[in-house]
Amino acid sequence: MPSLFSSKKRVRNGDESNKTIAPRELPPPQPAASVNPPRLLIIGAGSRGKCFARAVMHSTNGIVVAVAEPDAYKRKFLGKNYIWGTEAPTAAEEFESWQAFLAWELKRRESVASGAASAKGIDGVIVCTLDETHAEIILALAPLKLHILCEKPLATNLKDCLGIYKALLSHGCSQLQPGVIFGIGHVLRYSPHNMLLRKLLLEDRAIGEVISMEHTEPVGWWHFAHSYVRGNWRKESTSAPSLLTKSCHDIDLILWLLCSSPDGKLLPHLPSSVTSSGSLVHFKKSRKPALAGNSTNCLSCPAEAECQYSAKRIYHDRHLMGGNTGWPVSIVVADIESCVNLASAKERLLERLREDYDGNTSPEAIDQKSWYGRCVYESANDVCDDQVVTIRWEEPPVSEQGAAANPSDQRGAKTALFHMVAFTDAVCDRRSRIYGSHGEIEANSTTIQVHDFRTGQTQTHRPHLEGGGHGGGDFGLARQFVLAIDAVKNQQMGVGEAQTTFVGCTLEEVIRSHAMVFAAEDARNGQKVVDWAEWWAGEVEAHLDKAPQ
């Protein structure tokens, strides 16, 4: 990946003389324009689809040339803003479903094979649909040998993750001889903040040998209510555990920092065990205020005026009246931005929030949609709102290393503790503390402080805060994915080299980080400590002809 790191500057100011402040990191250079730019299709034009369309436009040398989305408003909104502008879309730019694109692409390839004139094809696909649809889409597209970037998680269960792995292997994608570029939406790897953090830990060895790590994802009290109580990810049976849907890229970040060698040449230092505890603590009927009675909708609830989770207070007062018609308001009313004025937007929003069900509504009908005006204590949600995961590494025996352990390889015993918590004011502004043999690091998504025990010095780094979501991770992932495609398409670089050089994450790493989430869930549900090697052998290797390393 491009180097983002600049020199350090010492600041002396009275008793602050033991502190240094590094200049703010510079943004990465804009990729050079391409005469034959990578051409991309976005499948799913919801909030994540729009995020990646924007990221491709502003941080890459690729172009979005088509969109597949069943919702007409979402499809045309993305198309107008990122593809066809004010012109009418062509048949090659707009598809009502990914199946429609697949049929069109197969027909196009038949025309090309017969020598007939045909529209240009695409080079890569960005999958931004609901989590439970990822496996079906990727399995259907795999034979086309298109480069694929899939939003996280890869799939909602381990079986589907392994099915995708096997399907991509069968079409030429492996760690040794990959046939296509494959990326996963583990965007935390690609933020300038976390790239610098990894450099400080593994290359600069700023705190010596890592001993332990604490990492917290503060989801945010209203964000959790929106997405994981009222929203699409509220039930494991229709989605997946919140550790997967919300925090799989945090688990991936931990493994990226603590498993990998600095140069990637050594085999990963695999964990020895994982355990987890957590549950649905607050968002359940037993916590419902007595004043609310039998109300199931905020707008008709006698407790609405004093309830912090009031849908009206969150969507109308906090966001719409604050001038925000984007997420999360646009999730409640997809076409909110088409309203001609604030009054009409308010009317549309409140109308949507008033939607309710009654005793005659079947459970199936209730589960089929997200009721954003619904009481958070009556939402039939079951995913954890507070969860802790502990991952442990042991120092490999000398017999397994071939020589005495080298501390610079970061393969000593260590522990990582991850906490996903709903009840925070901060919204996804992750914070970490990492403890080393001669220093400690405190990171808070905007700055990184390194304290050196040996010198007493504390140095503050301020990584570049790039646009897009996840601290610049959305832009960073899009940039690296498109650069990899461009290198293969226009610079005759091998797919394997481009995957390593630009994406920096193999399919094997994708499977490992997802597997760690499923192992943690097994530990939580079974109230046990899971032996990683045994679990991996039984749950992964036993189901694959060729297991990832």
Side-chain angles (χ1 to χ4, degrees):
M1 295 183 184
S3 177
L4 306 179
F5 315 112
S6 55
S7 59
K8 305 170 183 177
K9 180 175 64 177
R10 181 71 179 270
V11 174
R12 295 184 179 275
N13 181 17
D15 60 3
E16 296 294 303
S17 62
N18 66 334
K19 297 182 180 181
T20 61
I21 300 176
R24 186 171 296 281
E25 308 295 340
L26 299 175
Q30 182 74 20
S34 174
V35 295
N36 190 20
R39 296 166 54 83
L40 302 168
L41 160 73
I42 290 184
I43 300 179
S47 59
R48 294 304 292 160
K50 289 187 289 186
C51 282
F52 276 111
R54 183 167 61 252
V56 170
M57 173 178 282
H58 294 294
S59 70
T60 82
N61 59 359
I63 52 175
V64 178
V65 297
V67 57
E69 163 62 53
D71 184 285
Y73 176 82
K74 294 179 181 179
R75 184 176 67 247
K76 293 185 182 301
F77 182 93
L78 189 147
K80 180 180 179 181
N81 284 277
Y82 301 104
I83 305 173
W84 55 78
T86 58
E87 303 294 325
T90 68
E93 295 174 326
E94 182 184 27
F95 301 93
E96 294 183 357
S97 67
W98 65 267
Q99 295 94 333
F101 161 75
L102 179 58
W104 179 88
E105 175 62 11
L106 291 174
K107 185 175 181 180
R108 187 196 69 82
R109 293 187 180 199
E110 288 178 0
S111 297
V112 172
S114 68
S118 178
K120 278 188 176 182
I122 63 167
D123 301 302
V125 176
I126 303 179
V127 179
C128 299
T129 55
L130 290 175
D131 304 342
E132 59 269 23
T133 67
H134 292 175
E136 181 185 11
I137 294 172
I138 294 173
L139 293 175
L141 296 180
L144 299 181
K145 296 186 178 180
L146 297 169
H147 306 296
I148 297 174
L149 171 58
C150 180
E151 175 61 298
K152 62 88 180 167
L154 181 61
T156 56
N157 58 73
L158 181 59
K159 179 181 178 181
D160 282 347
C161 288
L162 298 181
I164 292 171
Y165 176 81
K166 289 189 286 187
L168 293 176
L169 281 183
S170 68
H171 292 95
C173 184
S174 72
Q175 189 173 23
L176 298 178
Q177 294 180 326
V180 297
I181 302 298
F182 186 85
I184 187 69
H186 287 159
V187 292
L188 298 184
R189 287 184 177 226
Y190 301 92
S191 74
H193 178 280
N194 291 327
M195 291 168 65
L196 175 57
L197 179 61
R198 189 174 190 272
K199 178 180 183 293
L200 290 168
L201 285 175
L202 301 186
E203 297 180 32
D204 298 351
R205 290 183 48 77
I207 58 171
E209 185 177 2
V210 174
I211 306 299
S212 62
M213 175 179 184
E214 301 166 2
H215 178 70
T216 298
E217 179 176 14
V219 181
W221 61 273
W222 64 262
H223 175 16
F224 194 92
H226 166 72
S227 297
Y228 303 94
V229 179
R230 294 177 170 125
N232 292 327
W233 299 277
R234 64 186 180 272
K235 296 184 71 171
E236 289 190 20
S237 60
T238 56
S239 180
S242 53
L243 184 65
L244 181 74
T245 59
K246 185 69 186 84
S247 301
C248 66
H249 48 8
D250 292 274
I251 297 297
D252 177 74
L253 174 68
I254 292 171
L255 297 184
W256 184 53
L257 295 176
L258 301 187
C259 282
S260 305
S261 62
D263 56 9
K265 294 180 180 179
L266 296 177
L267 289 176
H269 183 201
L270 299 177
S272 58
S273 66
V274 59
T275 189
S276 179
S277 61
S279 63
L280 176 62
V281 176
H282 183 74
F283 298 102
K284 51 189 178 181
K285 196 165 185 176
S286 62
R287 298 296 185 97
K288 187 177 183 179
L291 180 61
N294 294 323
S295 298
T296 57
N297 184 275
C298 290
L299 273 68
S300 59
C301 177
E304 184 274 328
E306 56 191 61
C307 179
Q308 73 186 57
Y309 294 105
S310 158
K312 180 176 180 293
R313 291 177 68 180
I314 292 174
Y315 299 110
H316 177 271
D317 300 353
R318 184 184 187 93
H319 289 286
L320 182 63
M321 299 311 291
N324 176 27
T325 56
W327 183 91
V329 178
S330 61
I331 301 299
V332 181
V333 182
D335 59 349
I336 190 79
E337 294 181 358
S338 68
C339 294
V340 295
N341 52 43
L342 182 60
S344 61
K346 176 179 177 178
E347 182 180 352
R348 288 289 309 281
L349 175 62
L350 294 178
E351 178 185 15
R352 180 77 165 88
L353 295 180
R354 288 190 187 96
E355 293 180 359
D356 200 3
Y357 53 88
D358 56 31
N360 296 320
T361 311
S362 69
E364 293 77 18
I366 295 174
D367 280 347
Q368 283 175 358
K369 65 178 292 184
S370 295
W371 306 77
Y372 288 104
R374 193 176 190 179
C375 173
V376 296
Y377 305 103
E378 294 274 5
S379 293
N381 52 296
D382 58 17
V383 299
C384 291
D385 54 21
D386 188 71
Q387 185 170 358
V388 173
V389 178
T390 303
I391 306 172
R392 177 70 181 165
W393 285 259
E394 299 294 344
E395 183 174 313
V398 173
S399 60
E400 293 183 12
Q401 300 185 66
N406 181 355
S408 68
D409 294 337
Q410 296 286 14
R411 300 177 75 83
K414 49 186 175 274
T415 302
L417 187 147
F418 169 66
H419 187 195
M420 184 274 292
V421 56
F423 310 99
T424 62
D425 183 56
V427 177
C428 301
D429 290 331
R430 293 161 172 86
R431 51 184 182 264
S432 305
R433 281 186 178 270
I434 306 173
Y435 306 94
S437 57
H438 62 242
E440 66 178 295
I441 286 178
E442 181 177 359
N444 65 4
S445 296
T446 57
T447 62
I448 301 172
Q449 285 192 328
V450 182
H451 180 72
D452 192 318
F453 300 154
R454 300 164 301 177
T455 65
Q457 297 293 307
T458 298
Q459 184 173 52
T460 300
H461 299 263
R462 300 172 299 168
H464 167 66
L465 299 178
E466 193 169 11
H470 300 95
D474 291 351
F475 275 29
L477 173 56
R479 180 187 303 113
Q480 301 306 127
F481 177 67
V482 175
L483 282 172
I485 297 175
D486 184 61
V488 172
K489 180 178 181 180
N490 296 316
Q491 301 169 37
Q492 291 73 53
M493 183 180 288
V495 170
E497 183 181 357
Q499 181 84 27
T500 301
T501 302
F502 296 104
V503 179
C505 179
T506 66
L507 183 57
E508 285 73 16
E509 290 178 274
V510 174
I511 295 299
R512 186 186 307 124
S513 60
H514 281 74
M516 179 57 73
V517 173
F518 294 118
E521 282 298 289
D522 281 357
R524 181 180 69 86
N525 291 321
Q527 298 184 345
K528 61 186 178 182
V529 177
V530 168
D531 182 284
W532 174 254
E534 290 181 5
W535 187 93
W536 181 267
E539 300 297 330
V540 178
E541 288 183 343
H543 300 281
L544 293 175
D545 295 327
K546 177 182 178 181
Q549 298 296 313

